Structure formats: structure tokens, C-alpha cells
Amino acid sequence: MKGRGTLKRRLQDNSLHSVGDLDGSWKPAPGYINRFFQSSDSVMLTSADISDEGYYEFDCNNKKEESAQLQVFIPSDVFVHEGEDAILPCRSITAGQWVKSVRWRRDGEVVLDVRSGKTTYGNGFDESRVSIPSDWHQRANLSLIIKRAEARDGGVYYCDIDKVEKHRSAVRLHVSTPPTPPTPPSTSQPTTTERPSECSDWSWSSFSITAVIFVIVALLVWLCWFLRNRIDNVCTRSFLCNDTEGRGGAEESRESDCDQQHMLKSNGNPDFNHH
């Protein structure tokens, strides 16, 4: 932290491009403002872009002290739902080459490491959850298979193959919650024990009043029919009695006339014979 220092990036044409200057504290160069921070005895470059790739050199008091190569990967994206299997692609020619190791990492932590025919697993991973194809030597397929993916499995994974021609690739895994299936419409009517409303009380009252009125009307109709029937019976009996008395009187009158004629005949009345 004493003296003056500079951090520069060497471009493909071998020219140097300033990244930041150190004079008691770091001062980012244009193009790196809000992206360049000091962390302990290191510097951190945030929001890395493919254009940031290259060799970085640190000079202190015009003396070269450190150099580092920055590789920037554009990860492919894999999207799965929780509970599904995730396949993170990684392909590199391995046939005819001696492969020293195959390593998958996430956030700097080892997920799976194959070395000298032996496979080791990182924390939170085991052979029941992560694996690579068993025939990767012949097919050049070193894709990482994660079974029953969980939300915590999301992140950026790196595939490093240590061989004659080294290989590195990156994959970003997105794990989301599966969508909730729509609830099918119910075919049965729900059974509830709701308290009767005022409308139901009014309906029962209306029904009761209507029933009472109907009974009263029925009784009135029956009473009218009954009284009319009685009156008809009385009138019929009165007519029959009058008719019988009239016929009886006529017969008695005829019998009286016959008796009178008979008496006249017996007495020798000449008018009787003439008639």
C-alpha cells in the first residue's frame, strides 16, 4: 500500500489499457467506475463482460509485481422445475487423449470430481443425485446430471477438463417452483349447514299463510255445498207432500160425487137417468 501502483490489461495487440491506479487507495480508470473495488490485498471486478477477458498486470513503483489471466465465460441457461432432472451440458473431445481429471464446480465449491478412475462428491451432493455418463471417454459427453433438482441447486456451474487441450465451460441452472394445476370444477353440490336467511323465513311464512287460506276457502266451499244440499232436500220433501194431499182430496171428491149419484138413482130421480 506504499508508493504508487497501477493495474493494466494487456490487449491482443500487446498494448496496455489502464484499469485502476493505486495511491493510498484505488482509483478506477474510465470504463471501470462502480465496477472496481478493493478487497483485502486483492481487487475485485464486478459485472464481468466478455470484453474484460485477457491478461492483467500489476506494477508497483514501476516494477512488475503480479500478473493474472482472466477468462470470461458466457454460460448457457438450463431451466427446470423443482423435482425434475437437470442436465448441464459439457462436451469436449477426449478420445485418444489422456484425461487427468474432470471437475464440476459451483461457486468455487466442488460438486463432482473424477480423477484416476475415482469419483468424489462435494458437500450436499452424492452419487444418488449427481453423475456424468459412464461412457464419457468414447462419446465426449461430460454433462452433469442432477436428479430431483431443488431450488438450492440453482447457480452457475463450471466444467473443467484437465487434458492436453484444457477445456472449461459454464452453465447457469434455473430451478423454479412448478405451476399449480388448475382445480377442476366440482360436479357435486357442496353440503353446508348455513343459518336460514330472512328470505327462507319469509318463504316458510308465506307458505304457511297460503296453506291456512286454502283450508279456510275449502271449508267455506264445503259449507256452502252442505247448506245448499239441505235446502234442496227440504224443498223436495215439501213438494212431494203437497202433491200427495192434492191427489187425496180429488179422489175423495170423486167418491162423494159417486155416492150422491148413487143415492139419486136409488130414489128414482128421472134427471139421473136422462144424464
Side-chain angles (χ1 to χ4, degrees), residues 43-263:
V43 292
M44 180 170 58
L45 185 64
T46 63
S47 303
D49 187 80
I50 189 68
S51 61
D52 294 325
E53 190 171 84
Y55 287 90
Y56 287 77
E57 299 176 358
F58 173 63
D59 295 338
C60 182
N61 295 325
N62 297 321
K63 181 180 179 182
K64 185 177 180 179
E65 297 287 347
E66 298 283 350
S67 64
Q69 182 184 8
L70 174 63
Q71 291 178 295
V72 180
F73 297 90
I74 301 177
S76 58
D77 292 294
V78 174
F79 299 85
V80 297
H81 290 135
E82 284 185 295
E84 296 178 344
D85 293 347
I87 300 178
L88 312 185
C90 178
R91 303 187 67 90
S92 180
I93 297 174
T94 56
Q97 296 191 46
W98 180 68
V99 179
K100 183 178 179 180
S101 65
V102 176
R103 174 181 292 183
W104 275 95
R105 297 177 298 110
R106 185 189 67 172
D107 299 332
E109 299 293 332
V110 175
V111 175
L112 177 146
D113 191 310
V114 180
R115 192 182 303 268
S116 301
K118 183 180 179 181
T119 304
T120 57
Y121 303 90
N123 294 331
F125 299 95
D126 55 38
E127 59 183 350
S128 66
R129 291 200 63 221
V130 295
S131 64
I132 59 176
S134 58
D135 57 350
W136 60 269
H137 290 92
Q138 293 77 27
R139 299 183 59 190
N141 184 6
L142 298 102
S143 300
L144 181 68
I145 303 171
I146 304 177
K147 296 182 179 179
R148 303 178 302 279
E150 302 174 2
R152 61 186 179 90
D153 294 329
V156 179
Y157 290 74
Y158 294 91
C159 175
D160 294 309
I161 304 175
D162 189 358
K163 57 178 184 174
V164 176
E165 296 179 357
K166 294 186 177 182
H167 169 88
R168 172 175 286 181
S169 60
V171 183
R172 181 182 287 108
L173 176 61
H174 305 264
V175 183
S176 60
T177 303
T180 303
T183 304
S186 178
T187 56
S188 60
Q189 295 294 334
T191 57
T192 57
T193 56
E194 296 182 356
R195 182 177 177 269
S197 63
E198 294 180 0
C199 292
S200 59
D201 291 341
W202 182 85
S203 299
W204 277 108
S205 300
S206 300
F207 176 78
S208 302
I209 294 172
T210 303
V212 171
I213 293 174
F214 178 80
V215 171
I216 293 174
V217 171
L219 289 175
L220 290 174
V221 171
W222 179 84
L223 182 60
C224 290
W225 174 84
F226 178 77
L227 293 176
R228 183 176 180 181
N229 190 40
R230 289 293 303 272
I231 292 172
D232 289 343
N233 290 337
V234 170
C235 291
T236 302
R237 291 178 182 176
S238 176
F239 174 76
L240 291 175
C241 291
N242 293 335
D243 186 60
T244 303
E245 291 176 356
R247 286 198 301 269
E251 291 177 356
E252 290 177 359
S253 177
R254 285 197 297 270
E255 289 178 357
S256 176
D257 291 342
C258 290
D259 290 342
Q260 291 178 1
Q261 290 177 5
H262 181 71
M263 289 177 65

Side-chain angles (χ1 to χ4, degrees), residues 25-54:
S25 62
W26 281 102
K27 181 180 180 181
Y32 293 92
I33 298 174
N34 298 327
R35 297 182 56 216
F36 189 87
F37 300 94
Q38 178 181 338
S39 175
S40 184
D41 58 350
S42 302
V43 292
M44 180 170 58
L45 185 64
T46 63
S47 303
D49 187 80
I50 189 68
S51 61
D52 294 325
E53 190 171 84

